[in-house]
Each structure stands twice: as structure tokens, then as C-alpha cells.
Amino acid sequence: PPKFNTVRKKIVKTPAETRVIPIPGKYKTVRVKVATTPATTRTIEIPARYETVSKRVKVTEDKNEWRLVLCETNMTIRNIRSLQAALKAAGYNPGLIDGVIGKQTLKAVDAYQKEENLSRGGITFETVKKLNVNIIK
């Protein structure tokens, strides 16, 4: 006897079709900056700035040197007044001739030593001798 099977199959009931469905557009306001004048180039003259830079260069080796200087015993008011008067006569400004070693007197001594090519660094006997000051002990 013949055997039968039930076969199920799908059949298209309606054929495929193409539909046009309008989709409304979405709009948004976008702000854009637009150049109203074309780009230009400006040249600004910047003057050069110069600066002096000091540089220390070793010229000679270090050395120790002994100098005779006025000590507290020799720094009497009379001797300091004589020194100040001699500096003033030589054209240097020691300040008041008051017998007191102040900043102005030391500046005048240093300037005199520098000008005369003498050893610098305090009131030396070499400086006193060059100024013709008699030290009274």
C-alpha cells in the first residue's frame, strides 16, 4: 500500500511590492560665522632689545698678599681727620672731616687707590704714604 506524508509549504499570498512612504525631514538651526572681509596680514615692527651681559673670566691665579694697614691703635681721630683732609685735597669726597671712618671715607680711599694703582682693601700704609699723611702714634 502506498504511504502518504503531509507536506507543509508556504505560499506567497500577496506578491512583493514597493511602496513610497514619505518621511518628513528634521531641521535644526545652525549658526555659522562667515568672514565679511577677507583675511589680511599686518606687519608690526618690533624693535630689537639689547642687553649687556657681564661675564667673569679668570685672569690670574689666586694669591695671598700681606699689606701693612692702619690698626685700631693708629686709627685715632687726629689721624683719620688728616687722612680725610688729604683725600679732600686730592679731589676725592670723604664726606665730613670728622675723624670717623664712614662709608663715604672708605669709598674715597678705594677710589683713590684705584686711580693711583695702589693695593686696595682697607687703609694701607702705602695709601697713607702716597697721600703724605703723617701717622701720629
Side-chain angles (χ1 to χ4, degrees):
K3 288 189 180 177
F4 293 97
N5 275 340
T6 304
V7 178
R8 290 182 180 230
K9 78 177 190 181
K10 289 185 177 182
I11 300 173
V12 176
K13 185 175 178 183
T14 56
E17 65 181 46
T18 304
R19 281 194 249 163
V20 177
I21 301 172
I23 300 173
K26 292 184 180 179
Y27 296 95
K28 174 169 123 176
T29 303
V30 177
R31 292 181 178 232
V32 177
K33 288 187 177 183
V34 178
T36 55
T37 57
T40 58
T41 302
R42 282 191 323 172
T43 303
I44 299 172
E45 190 71 27
I46 300 174
R49 274 193 316 181
Y50 296 96
E51 184 177 315
T52 302
V53 178
S54 298
K55 179 180 171 183
R56 293 180 70 175
V57 178
K58 187 175 184 178
V59 179
T60 60
E61 291 297 322
D62 295 342
K63 63 180 180 179
N64 288 328
E65 190 175 304
W66 290 92
R67 297 184 202 133
L68 291 173
V69 295
L70 288 180
C71 63
E72 290 180 19
T73 308
N74 296 334
M75 285 196 190
T76 63
I77 293 175
R78 182 187 294 172
N79 288 340
I80 300 304
R81 279 188 183 158
S82 298
L83 175 68
Q84 289 171 331
L87 284 168
K88 190 163 195 125
Y92 297 89
N93 181 12
L96 292 174
I97 300 177
D98 55 2
V100 177
I101 297 179
K103 285 183 183 179
Q104 195 65 35
T105 302
L106 291 175
K107 279 184 183 180
V109 168
D110 190 56
Y112 178 77
Q113 290 170 336
K114 191 174 184 179
E115 185 75 29
E116 295 293 323
N117 260 351
L118 299 173
S119 300
R120 292 169 61 197
I123 303 171
T124 62
F125 275 101
E126 181 184 20
T127 304
V128 171
K129 186 177 179 183
K130 184 90 174 178
L131 282 168
N132 292 323
V133 174
N134 293 325
I135 299 297
I136 301 169
K137 296 181 184 181

